[in-house]
């Protein structure tokens, strides 16, 4: 399944498209693959948070 195109308004239809895309992408994954994907996303999120913290620290100095 292709990644959905979202509208500039980001409305309920866009959310539905994202949910369908996510379901189709994950329905054939094993539990291990799903957990690996979650961990990868979490790592990326933590990196973004740390970068944001560093940016805020340098801005307040």
């Amino acid at each position: 399944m292709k990644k959905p195109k979202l509208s500039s308004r980001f409305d309920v239809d866009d959310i539905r498209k994202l949910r369908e895309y996510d379901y189709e992408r994950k329905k054939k994954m094993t539990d291990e693959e799903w957990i690996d994907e979650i961990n990868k996303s979490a790592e990326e999120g933590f990196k973004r948070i740390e970068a944001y913290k560093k940016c805020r620290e340098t801005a307040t100095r």
Side-chain angles (χ1 to χ4, degrees):
M1 180 175 218
K2 288 184 183 179
K3 208 171 201 179
K5 291 187 179 183
L6 305 177
S7 69
S8 60
R9 297 183 321 258
F10 194 75
D11 55 12
V12 174
D13 288 330
D14 292 325
I15 294 169
R16 180 188 50 77
K17 289 176 193 175
L18 285 172
R19 290 185 71 166
E20 286 178 6
Y21 169 74
D22 197 48
Y23 171 76
E24 291 296 326
R25 196 171 55 83
K26 291 180 179 178
K27 73 180 179 184
K28 293 183 180 178
M29 285 185 176
T30 64
D31 290 344
E32 187 175 312
E33 290 171 327
W34 198 356
I35 290 170
D36 288 342
E37 182 173 309
I38 291 168
N39 288 335
K40 180 182 173 189
S41 295
E43 285 178 29
E44 291 172 10
F46 285 131
K47 287 178 185 177
R48 291 180 71 181
I49 290 169
E50 289 303 315
Y52 177 76
K53 284 180 181 179
K54 287 179 184 177
C55 180
R56 295 229 356 159
E57 286 175 2
T58 56
T60 58
R61 290 182 186 178

